[in-house]
Amino acid sequence: MRSVASVLDSDPGPKGGRIGRYLTMTTYYASFATSTIFLTAIAFLPLTVQVIAEGLGVTPLPWLLTLLGLILVVIASRYLFASGLP
């Protein structure tokens, strides 16, 4: 944002022009909209997992068990790569 404003002679201060204000507001609203989209996408994840689990008739793994499995995979891969296996 700053580089575009600088090229268009809209640096901060009394000499700043309308393009700087426009870029600031556009960046603010774009950031707000993007963060809202991702926040609401995360909110539906547990609901999605529940619907899929009920549809397939399975019980989802608890998050801590998933984390433990991930830690074991990381430890095993570090051990394998440290021993020289590709």
Side-chain angles (χ1 to χ4, degrees):
M1 177 176 91
R2 177 171 267 173
S3 60
V4 174
S6 177
V7 167
L8 297 173
D9 282 335
S10 184
D11 294 320
K15 191 180 165 187
R18 291 178 21 185
I19 193 69
R21 289 190 291 270
Y22 171 76
L23 288 172
T24 301
M25 294 307 294
T26 303
T27 303
Y28 170 76
Y29 286 122
S31 174
F32 179 76
T34 304
S35 63
T36 303
I37 289 169
F38 285 116
L39 181 64
T40 55
I42 292 171
F44 285 106
L45 183 61
L47 178 62
T48 304
V49 170
Q50 180 183 357
V51 169
I52 291 172
E54 289 174 0
L56 295 176
V58 296
T59 304
L61 292 175
W63 292 109
L64 288 177
L65 187 59
T66 306
L67 179 64
L68 178 63
L70 178 65
I71 290 171
L72 291 176
V73 168
V74 169
I75 291 171
S77 64
R78 284 183 144 309
Y79 173 74
L80 289 175
F81 286 119
S83 65
L85 292 176

